[in-house]
Amino acid sequence: MDMMAMISSMLASQQGALQSNISATLMKQNADAEKSTVLTLLGAGQPSLANVGAGVGSNLNVTA
């Protein structure tokens, strides 16, 4: 194997590793975004108003 072929194969290997790292990073970011979207649609993290008294939040005086 001559010197240029060896250098070329080493550079191709490094390029492949870089592409794999970028791909893994993008897949993780996509999964995190999907998780955030699902949690938002399900209302996770939103305060529940199930335990408040009757009439809370129904009348708001904005003229004062």
Side-chain angles (χ1 to χ4, degrees):
M1 180 180 266
D2 66 335
M3 186 64 79
M4 287 305 292
M6 192 175 351
I7 290 172
S8 177
S9 67
M10 288 171 50
L11 290 175
S13 175
Q14 287 179 346
Q15 183 69 21
L18 176 64
Q19 287 179 352
S20 293
N21 286 341
I22 291 172
S23 171
T25 301
L26 290 175
M27 286 175 45
K28 183 180 182 324
Q29 288 177 348
N30 190 21
D32 290 343
E34 291 292 328
K35 178 183 174 185
S36 175
T37 302
V38 168
L39 290 176
T40 300
L41 291 173
L42 293 177
Q46 299 287 334
S48 174
L49 297 177
N51 297 329
V52 298
V56 172
S58 60
N59 295 324
L60 179 63
N61 185 2
V62 293
T63 59

